[in-house]
Amino acid sequence: MAVLKVHGAVFSTASMRVFACLYEKDLDFQFVPIDMKAGQHKSETFLSLNPFGQVPALEVGDQKLFESRAITQYIAEEYADKGTQLTCPGKPLAPLLVWKEVEAHQFDPVASKLNWELVFKPMFGMTADPAVVEENEAKLGKVLDIYEARLAQSKYLACDCFTLADMHHLPNLHYLMGTPVKKLFDSRPHVSAWAANISSRPAWSKVVAMQKQ
Amino acid sequence: MAVLKVHGAVLSTASMRVFACLYEKDLDFQFVPIDMKAGQHKSETFLSLNPFGQIPAVEVGDQKLFESRAITQYIAEEYADKGTQLTCPGKPLAPLFVWKEVEAHQFDPVASKLIWELVYKPMYGTTTDPAVVEENEAKLGKVLDIYEARLAQSKYLACDCFTLADMHHLPGLHYLMGTPVKKLFDSRPHVSAWAANISSRPAWSKVVAMQKQ
């Protein structure tokens, strides 16, 4: 079986999305840290893996993949019989497809803006913009109202199993829960229970542990 | 076979993405126009199809789908043996996953901002912001440089067949080609040839014809 090499960074949400998938699937992988501060993600070597110059990138055999959600989808399909299923076996296809897109297009843009302002800017010595935070908190609230209604009917977003649709939220969720935005999750009971549930998965704690090394 | 009902609007890029898929697959469908000007996409009826209040939404039997790229993926998989294949049969999975994500996360955000400024704002009688146009033209140029390199090696983005990865660009491309942004495509020979090729597909001309009715 070809070696899986992940080029990324332990603090990068997109890299964490891929690590989560690898741990859920119980797959061995080589981690190649990319030093973003030193601009290594814009080096010729890295650009040959991902011409867009963004982490993560995955090498497996001759193949080079990038875009975290393409990588997780690839892992979930290639290694379908290893570890956690990550799809809804025996259930209709459509909800998984829909809720994966919801994470990518409704949750992630708003969550990313908030994490940029509240987590990463301070890390880089810059100041959060309160107007941007306020605007995006309002948007996130509306998204989470829809999640609350959905999770009142379904244990996980796509079906009654943990899938890629839930998993893709973990990195942004992890960071948001360390900011005042946590209140938006805590005040919605089904969202709160779901967030706590998926964040307590053993595979996810291994991803978080990578940041403590 | 269950009737496919598409709730959308002929000028909406996301709706056009779904129409393109249905025509490529040679599938009959019922089109239910949603009057955005009248706010119909925020009506209780429509929100029961897509709680995010965005078009398109598809009903097929009991199932309700939203997010255009979930809908196209559903159609491509459920109707795999009808019409155009839209995947890379017999080829590795990974490039299709990667290039679908590239359209969604690298091309679409930038293209959408330009289309908003140059196409929709004038339609609604508001003024284009030249700074936003300039910034996003520069970003789109960088994305298209990467496409140019890719299309020098591959007839279509994912492989040597037309797939969802190419198809998803058509609505954005269609609008951009009617603006000065066209020059960014024309000045890159492989991109230009690819754009002309995919835009000339019979299924796509049926989508464009819907706007003339």
Side-chain angles (χ1 to χ4, degrees), chain B residues 126-199:
Chain B
T126 45
T127 333
T128 304
D129 182 339
V132 175
V133 172
E134 192 179 339
E135 179 187 344
N136 285 281
E137 278 191 340
K139 286 181 179 177
L140 183 60
K142 289 186 178 160
V143 171
L144 292 181
D145 285 339
I146 295 167
Y147 279 36
E148 182 65 15
R150 174 61 181 172
L151 292 164
Q153 300 178 335
S154 181
K155 185 173 183 197
Y156 295 94
L157 285 171
C159 57
D160 54 15
C161 296
F162 177 79
T163 68
L164 290 177
D166 308 287
M167 192 191 82
H168 287 170
H169 290 79
L170 281 164
L173 189 65
H174 171 77
Y175 283 116
L176 290 174
M177 291 308 242
T179 73
V181 174
K182 180 182 197 296
K183 64 184 186 285
L184 298 182
F185 295 86
D186 290 348
S187 60
R188 293 167 172 83
H190 294 95
V191 167
S192 181
W194 165 81
N197 176 316
I198 65 173
S199 302

Side-chain angles (χ1 to χ4, degrees), chain A residues 51-52 54 63 65-67 69-70 73-74 77-78 92-94 97-98 101-102 105-106 146, chain B residues 51-52 54 63 65-67 69-70 73-74 77 92-94 97-98 101-102 104-106 146:
Chain A
F52 292 93
Q54 293 172 332
Q63 300 190 90
L65 289 86
F66 52 92
E67 292 295 333
R69 296 172 190 81
Q73 192 176 348
Y74 171 83
E77 294 201 24
E78 277 297 295
L93 187 55
L97 299 177
V98 168
E101 291 298 304
V102 167
H105 293 285
Q106 307 292 346
I146 295 168
Chain B
F52 292 92
Q54 292 174 334
Q63 298 190 91
L65 289 88
F66 52 92
E67 291 296 331
R69 295 171 189 81
Q73 195 176 339
Y74 172 83
E77 295 199 28
L93 275 178
F97 294 161
V98 168
E101 291 298 306
V102 167
H105 294 285
Q106 307 292 344
I146 295 167

Side-chain angles (χ1 to χ4, degrees), chain B residues 5-19 22 29-37 40-41 46 49-50 54-59 65 68 71 210:
Chain B
K5 254 192 194 173
V6 184
H7 303 255
V10 297
L11 295 176
S12 130
T13 51
S15 301
M16 293 168 85
R17 193 169 287 119
V18 171
F19 300 142
L22 290 163
F29 64 96
Q30 245 181 64
F31 170 49
V32 181
I34 298 297
D35 187 347
M36 312 266 294
K37 268 193 193 158
Q40 204 185 343
H41 54 311
F46 187 78
L49 297 174
N50 181 0
Q54 292 174 334
I55 52 174
V58 166
E59 286 181 282
L65 289 88
S68 64
I71 295 168
M210 290 173 81

Side-chain angles (χ1 to χ4, degrees), chain A residues 37-189:
Chain A
K37 269 189 191 162
Q40 202 184 343
H41 53 311
K42 307 295 180 187
S43 69
E44 265 198 62
T45 316
F46 187 79
L47 291 174
S48 70
L49 297 174
N50 181 1
F52 292 93
Q54 293 172 332
V55 295
L58 177 73
E59 283 182 284
V60 47
D62 295 334
Q63 300 190 90
K64 297 169 187 177
L65 289 86
F66 52 92
E67 292 295 333
S68 63
R69 296 172 190 81
I71 296 170
T72 59
Q73 192 176 348
Y74 171 83
I75 291 166
E77 294 201 24
E78 277 297 295
Y79 303 94
D81 30 7
K82 277 216 83 188
T84 313
Q85 184 63 26
L86 298 177
T87 63
C88 303
K91 299 277 166 61
L93 187 55
L96 178 56
L97 299 177
V98 168
W99 288 93
K100 280 202 296 173
E101 291 298 304
V102 167
E103 180 278 329
H105 293 285
Q106 307 292 346
F107 178 84
D108 185 84
V110 182
S112 296
K113 284 198 180 80
L114 286 166
N115 279 324
W116 174 250
E117 293 297 326
L118 296 169
V119 178
F120 293 114
K121 266 174 137 179
M123 255 191 223
F124 304 137
M126 305 192 295
T127 336
D129 180 337
V132 175
V133 173
E134 192 180 338
E135 179 188 344
N136 285 282
E137 278 191 341
K139 287 181 178 178
L140 183 59
K142 291 185 178 162
V143 170
L144 292 181
D145 285 341
I146 295 168
Y147 279 31
E148 183 63 17
R150 173 62 181 170
L151 293 163
Q153 302 178 334
S154 182
K155 184 173 183 195
Y156 294 94
L157 285 171
C159 56
D160 53 14
C161 299
F162 177 79
T163 68
L164 290 177
D166 307 288
M167 192 192 81
H168 286 170
H169 290 78
L170 280 165
N172 275 309
L173 186 65
H174 169 78
Y175 284 117
L176 289 174
M177 291 308 243
T179 73
V181 174
K182 181 182 196 297
K183 65 183 186 286
L184 298 182
F185 294 87
D186 291 348
S187 60
R188 293 167 172 82

Side-chain angles (χ1 to χ4, degrees), chain B residues 77-88:
Chain B
E77 295 199 28
E78 280 293 304
Y79 303 95
D81 29 10
K82 278 216 82 188
T84 313
Q85 183 63 26
L86 297 177
T87 62
C88 302

